[in-house]
Amino acid sequence: MPAVIVLGAQWGDEGKGKATDQLGQHTDYVVKFNGGNNAGHTVVIDGEKYALHLLPAGILSEGVTPIIGNGVVVDLDVLFEELAEISGRGVDCSRLLISANAHIIPAYNRLMDQANERARGNNQIGTTGRGIGPTYADKMNRIGIRIQDLFHPEALRAKVEAALAPKNTIFEAVGLPTLDPAEVSDHLLSFADRIEPMMCDVSLVVNDALDRGETVLFEGGQATMLDIDHGTYPFVTSSNPTAGGALAGAGVGPTRIDCVVGVAKAYTTRVGEGPFPTELDDEVGEDLRTRGGEFGVTTGRPRRTGWFDAVVVRYAARVNGLTDLCLTKLDVLTGYKEIPVCVGYELDGIVVDEMPPDQVDFARAVPVYEMVPGWSEDITGCRSFDELPEAAQAYILRLEELVGCRISSIGVGPGREATIIRFPLLGE
Ligand code: GDP
Ligand code: IMO
Ligand code: MG
């Protein structure tokens, strides 16, 4: 299986970092294809925890070449802080490559993120405040600053000046500080020497690697339900975390992909605002948050929690053409007598089993639950499907049936080793 996409099948934080790390040990390249430091991917190796935001989780696997693709938006301050932190912990970061076409998050877009949220009043998205949306907006508006611009100082200065002038007017209007274009440009240009050895044509590197028969993993940030096209718009991020985004965000064609792995929790979480039909806005949800340690890696915000929504994950299976599902955090469900699974939504007395095409309907969808028996045995030590209690096996098989996609691996703990591999994808 030389080309594998790993992406989120719910609203983010499904455990993509762990899944990437696991497969990354059998991979030559790991390419991050979308998003930026709004992501927070956790990997736990020998009890040591790493939280990665901008760097691909594959950087932690020895021998892997980590790549930041053209679809990523890069905060250069964060990039070098994260590199310093990770290499300070003994990780070899020397092979990191970055696309010449990737867009940079200038300081003014972090401010724009704040300005936009303020302007939304009661309809805030609850962004991570990292400048992600405004940077993708500039990209689409063709006023973005790219990695390659760092090597053309005069042109970069002119671009910064043009992009910043109207934003300064907005900052003034909403009571945020204005920025000096010369200072912004000087700061960006100060990174040029360090970026130069990393800059490349990612599409060429990746396609050459595939031609040589090497293995490439495409690591998605965010998730299907946060996709700008397929998610719960406008409560989404500003990129395509779906499989199509991997192609555009790294410069590979669909014919090169062998396997698309969706990562889903055995229940559901969401950070930020927006509809979430199976949300448990009560002490049961609070309990699930505590059991699962559901607090954001990037912002520390408590995550909203709810039961597994099979409609959402089946939708993700379709939108992404999933070949496999990696189900995480099954251990967190240990101890429930019965586990509700959402199998459809009720709308005006009618039960539907697909995502409603209209977001207004989705926001008022009432989940229809099927009760699946729970288990009480500790499963954190299980390493094969057969070792799981019968009820846990039945839960997996029922989810598989409802989603219409095989569950290839099952997470039973945060550690690298705490995984049941049912169907190996890369010889793991
Ligand atoms: P990502 O953004 O998709 O990479 O996920 P996050 O790292 O934001 O959140 C997932 C959290 O769940 C992290 O704290 C992981 O260490 C943890 N985790 C991942 N898989 C499992 C699992 O199978 N069981 C348990 N208990 N924790 C897990
Ligand atoms: P990983 O990769 C969960 C959410 C934010 C907000 C919305 C828009 O760790 O799964 P943005 O800053 O992107 O404009 O915010 O998207 N969000 C995430 N939620 N996991 C993430 O990343 C997220 N990245 C963004 O909370 O609701
Ligand atoms: Mg996360």
Side-chain angles (χ1 to χ4, degrees):
M1 286 285 188
V4 179
I5 300 174
V6 174
L7 53 81
Q10 294 162 321
W11 274 283
D13 304 325
E14 298 92 346
K16 299 175 292 291
K18 183 186 161 191
T20 298
D21 172 62
Q22 207 125 44
L23 294 168
Q25 296 169 71
H26 307 270
T27 300
D28 300 300
Y29 294 80
V30 174
V31 189
K32 184 176 164 97
F33 62 81
N34 77 300
N37 57 316
N38 47 348
H41 291 192
T42 316
V43 179
V44 181
I45 306 169
D46 297 331
E48 238 199 284
K49 191 166 170 173
Y50 298 84
L52 297 154
H53 298 283
L54 191 48
L55 296 173
I59 201 158
L60 301 175
S61 302
E62 230 177 276
V64 164
T65 300
I67 304 186
I68 293 178
N70 56 277
V72 174
V73 287
V74 182
D75 185 321
L76 292 168
D77 288 290
V78 172
L79 176 66
F80 287 101
E81 277 162 27
E82 205 165 302
L83 276 172
E85 198 226 310
I86 298 290
S87 49
R89 293 172 73 178
V91 176
D92 174 15
C93 298
S94 63
R95 275 189 304 272
L96 180 70
L97 297 176
I98 187 163
S99 166
N101 290 352
H103 281 247
I104 294 171
I105 304 179
Y108 50 78
N109 280 342
R110 288 195 292 267
L111 277 181
M112 271 308 288
D113 208 344
Q114 279 184 48
N116 289 342
E117 284 285 74
R118 280 189 197 184
R120 285 189 192 104
N122 289 334
N123 292 314
Q124 295 197 351
I125 289 167
T127 71
T128 58
R130 303 296 192 258
I132 306 294
T135 301
Y136 280 115
D138 283 0
K139 173 177 175 173
M140 292 307 173
N141 210 10
R142 292 155 294 181
I143 56 164
I145 314 294
R146 301 199 288 177
I147 290 291
Q148 57 187 278
D149 292 328
L150 296 174
F151 307 97
H152 306 283
E154 287 324 304
L156 179 139
R157 287 179 192 284
K159 286 178 186 181
V160 166
E161 207 158 314
L164 181 51
K167 297 188 195 220
N168 267 338
T169 317
I170 295 171
F171 299 154
E172 256 174 6
V174 300
L176 287 168
T178 57
L179 297 181
D180 173 26
E183 270 177 34
V184 172
S185 302
D186 287 345
H187 185 61
L188 294 179
L189 290 166
S190 72
F191 292 103
D193 288 349
R194 282 180 285 169
I195 285 287
E196 204 197 341
M198 302 178 195
M199 188 176 85
C200 71
D201 176 343
V202 167
S203 170
L204 184 64
V205 172
V206 168
N207 282 280
D208 278 355
L210 291 171
D211 287 345
R212 289 192 300 269
E214 293 183 302
T215 304
V216 182
L217 187 152
F218 301 89
E219 176 186 357
Q222 295 74 55
T224 305
M225 298 306 284
L226 291 172
D227 184 281
I228 189 84
D229 286 285
H230 302 288
T232 48
Y233 191 90
F235 302 102
V236 291
T237 192
S238 300
S239 68
N240 286 117
T242 42
L247 309 180
V252 286
T255 49
R256 307 225 65 164
I257 305 299
D258 300 284
C259 181
V260 185
V261 183
V263 186
K265 271 180 193 161
Y267 50 98
T268 313
T269 64
R270 171 163 206 176
V271 197
E273 303 305 318
F276 177 2
T278 63
E279 181 169 18
L280 294 162
D281 202 5
D282 54 16
E283 64 281 2
V284 183
E286 184 66 52
D287 177 55
L288 195 50
R289 174 161 44 248
T290 309
R291 287 167 182 246
E294 297 297 352
F295 296 88
V297 180
T298 298
T299 56
R301 290 179 288 178
R303 294 174 183 149
R304 300 157 66 193
T305 51
W307 300 120
F308 188 85
D309 187 335
V311 183
V312 160
V313 183
R314 190 170 62 245
Y315 174 76
R318 164 161 57 85
V319 167
N320 296 297
L322 295 186
T323 56
D324 297 271
L325 205 61
C326 164
L327 194 80
T328 62
K329 299 191 113 167
L330 186 68
D331 53 302
V332 175
L333 293 184
T334 298
Y336 288 103
K337 254 196 156 63
E338 282 190 308
I339 305 166
V341 173
C342 172
V343 295
Y345 306 129
E346 193 183 316
L347 279 164
D348 303 322
I350 297 166
V351 174
V352 296
D353 64 359
E354 289 289 349
M355 280 282 290
D358 184 333
Q359 277 300 300
V360 173
D361 286 337
F362 186 61
R364 65 190 183 91
V366 179
V368 175
Y369 287 115
E370 175 179 304
M371 302 306 285
V372 183
W375 59 92
S376 56
E377 299 90 331
D378 179 1
I379 60 168
T380 54
C382 296
R383 294 292 176 270
S384 74
F385 188 70
D386 297 339
E387 288 173 51
L388 285 171
E390 248 173 59
Q393 293 187 16
Y395 185 73
I396 298 289
L397 295 176
R398 184 63 185 134
L399 297 195
E400 205 168 41
E401 196 171 45
L402 288 167
V403 172
C405 179
R406 69 175 188 173
I407 294 176
S408 300
S409 72
I410 301 155
V412 291
R416 202 182 230 185
E417 70 298 336
T419 308
I420 294 170
I421 308 288
R422 264 180 96 205
F423 306 111
L425 303 176
L426 297 174
E428 68 277 22

